[in-house]
């Protein structure tokens, strides 16, 4: 079947959540399951893993610039990030599936985006001992960002109103499952998998340069001071917001009248959404679910 571009594709109706091996998912991310599970990772592949809305696009763009910013041909800089860093699990009808895009990707290393919980990662990534970067974002800002995203992202379920959305987030009935399990089980994986760099969105906001240095250390890269300055300039929120290759503004699947992909990029926007009562209930629920004292999130910087 001829594949059309993501800027012109006719979209299916909004999908429904269903239970998939114990995790809420939609068919957009499970239809290609056999190919996902049999995906052949290469030793130099780099997996960029996050729960939805934790800054995957930001990290993907940083890595793309670190690896290919200096050397890539002119045409590459005008390619959308979803083509340069394909999403492993995505399978939108009539579009190329993530695994197919990755099989056709000619870069080395391949940069690969995923939101899958750790137990769903294809086994070849572990077998090939690939480098994996996991970025986590605090739960309150994650749910706010996810809510606005699902209002506009037509390949996601209808979010409903804010209060019911927040309840559903606490119940873990979100695409890719509960936030609490996602961030905790990925963190646990660090105990027996050394090639996992676990980082926080809040730290990247606080000091992007410092976090890029840590990333480079993990990846074995040593960009010049000038290269680093150039990258820092390009990955600022305001710069990315007006950059069509990363702001998803050309993607038909986003109803830009409802929100924007590069929405606020802040730590603490949850304060503009949570009522006092919602905040108390959320904190109570959080305490019951997040028992690991070594996994601490900042809700303001
Ligand atoms: S997705 O759709 O799940 O892949 O979204 P993801 O890219 O993981 O996360 C989107 C949120 O990341 C914010 N973002 C940034 N914040 C600060 N600085 C920069 N440069 C940046 N780039 C992306 C983006 O604005 C989304 O967060 P919210 O809170 O909605 O603004």
């Amino acid at each position: 079947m001829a594949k059309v571009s993501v800027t012109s594709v006719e979209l299916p109706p909004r999908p429904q959540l269903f239970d998939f091996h114990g995790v809420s998912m939609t068919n957009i991310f499970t239809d290609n399951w056999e190919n996902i599970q049999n995906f052949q990772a290469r030793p130099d592949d780099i997996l960029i893993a996050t729960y939805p809305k934790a800054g995957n696009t930001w990290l993907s763009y940083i890595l793309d610039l670190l690896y290919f910013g200096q050397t890539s041909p002119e045409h590459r800089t005008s390619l959308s990030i979803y083509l340069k860093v394909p999403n492993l699990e995505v399978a939108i009808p009539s579009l190329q599936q993530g695994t197919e895009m990755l099989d056709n990707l000619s870069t080395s290393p391949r940069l690969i985006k995923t939101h899958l919980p750790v137990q769903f990662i294809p086994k070849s990534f572990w077998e090939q001992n690939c480098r994996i970067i996991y970025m986590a974002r605090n739960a309150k800002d994650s749910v706010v960002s996810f809510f606005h995203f699902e209002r506009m992202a037509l390949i996601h379920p209808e979010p409903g109103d804010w209060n019911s959305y927040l309840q559903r987030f606490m119940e873990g009935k979100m695409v890719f499952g509960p936030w609490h399990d996602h961030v905790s089980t990925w963190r646990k994986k660090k105990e027996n998998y050394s090639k996992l760099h676990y980082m926080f969105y809040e730290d990247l906001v606080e000091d992007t340069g410092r976090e890029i240095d840590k990333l480079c250390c993990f990846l074995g890269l040593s960009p010049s001071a000038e290269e680093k300055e150039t990258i820092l300039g390009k990955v600022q929120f305001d710069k990315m917001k007006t950059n069509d290759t990363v702001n998803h503004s050309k993607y038909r699947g986003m109803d830009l009248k409802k929100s924007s992909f590069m929405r606020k990029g802040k730590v603490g926007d949850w304060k503009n959404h949570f009522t006092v009562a919602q905040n108390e209930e959320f904190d109570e629920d959080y305490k019951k679910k997040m028992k690991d004292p070594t996994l601490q999130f900042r809700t303001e910087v």
Side-chain angles (χ1 to χ4, degrees), residues 39-285:
F39 180 75
Q40 286 308 301
R42 299 177 193 150
D44 66 342
D45 282 346
I46 298 171
L47 191 63
I48 304 168
T50 62
Y51 191 73
K53 313 319 293 175
N56 199 305
T57 311
W58 191 11
L59 202 47
S60 294
Y61 189 42
I62 291 172
L63 261 75
D64 178 59
L65 290 168
L66 278 172
Y67 277 102
F68 309 114
Q70 297 291 306
T71 54
S72 66
E74 194 56 31
H75 77 269
R76 194 183 145 81
T77 51
S78 60
L79 286 179
S80 282
I81 196 76
Y82 77 90
L83 295 171
K84 295 195 275 190
V85 186
N87 182 184
L88 173 70
E89 60 271 11
V90 80
I92 301 173
S94 79
L95 277 180
Q96 252 195 345
Q97 294 159 337
T99 52
E100 206 182 331
M101 290 165 77
L102 284 162
D103 286 340
N104 295 331
L105 203 63
S106 59
T107 58
S108 176
R110 294 184 299 186
L111 304 176
I112 305 174
K113 167 182 178 170
T114 189
H115 291 311
L116 291 174
V118 70
Q119 70 274 22
F120 285 172
I121 296 298
K123 66 176 184 322
S124 63
F125 283 97
W126 313 118
E127 288 166 355
Q128 297 294 336
N129 205 21
C130 296
R131 284 196 174 85
I132 301 180
I133 301 165
Y134 184 86
M135 182 152 77
R137 185 181 192 183
N138 80 72
K140 292 178 183 177
D141 284 324
S142 293
V143 61
V144 167
S145 180
F146 212 172
F147 173 66
H148 288 293
F149 180 70
E150 292 206 328
R151 287 171 55 231
M152 69 176 230
L154 306 175
I155 61 160
H156 276 256
E158 282 284 355
D161 66 82
W162 163 243
N163 192 53
S164 59
Y165 194 80
L166 192 58
Q167 294 299 326
R168 191 151 63 73
F169 184 89
M170 285 189 270
E171 287 162 23
K173 301 242 166 57
M174 311 296 295
V175 192
F176 300 105
W179 174 92
H180 312 79
D181 291 353
H182 208 282
V183 298
S184 305
T185 51
W186 267 104
R187 174 67 164 221
K188 191 108 189 92
K189 188 73 190 173
K190 247 178 91 69
E191 290 170 14
N192 60 18
Y193 190 78
S194 62
K195 279 195 161 172
L196 173 59
H197 179 70
Y198 195 103
M199 60 187 287
F200 296 92
Y201 174 89
E202 292 74 25
D203 292 345
L204 195 59
V205 169
E206 182 181 64
D207 191 338
T208 310
R210 178 192 66 207
E211 296 305 307
I212 291 183
D213 287 344
K214 288 189 202 160
L215 272 171
C216 288
C217 191
F218 172 69
L219 296 166
L221 298 175
S222 29
S224 66
E226 197 189 340
E227 270 174 65
K228 208 185 125 186
E229 266 322 295
T230 308
I231 293 174
L232 276 172
K234 289 186 176 174
V235 304
Q236 298 286 317
F237 181 82
D238 291 342
K239 276 278 159 48
M240 284 182 62
K241 194 172 172 69
T242 53
N243 177 345
D244 285 353
T245 70
V246 290
N247 67 14
H248 293 61
S249 60
K250 299 273 183 287
Y251 175 37
R252 280 276 306 275
M254 309 276 178
D255 182 348
L256 298 176
K257 291 193 284 302
K258 300 212 166 123
S259 187
S260 57
F261 184 82
M262 297 290 302
R263 194 184 59 89
K264 287 208 175 162
K266 294 230 176 322
V267 182
D269 185 41
W270 62 272
K271 291 178 192 164
N272 298 316
H273 292 76
F274 283 60
T275 64
V276 173
Q278 284 169 343
N279 195 34
E280 282 170 5
E281 189 187 350
F282 196 89
D283 285 345
E284 270 309 302
D285 177 71

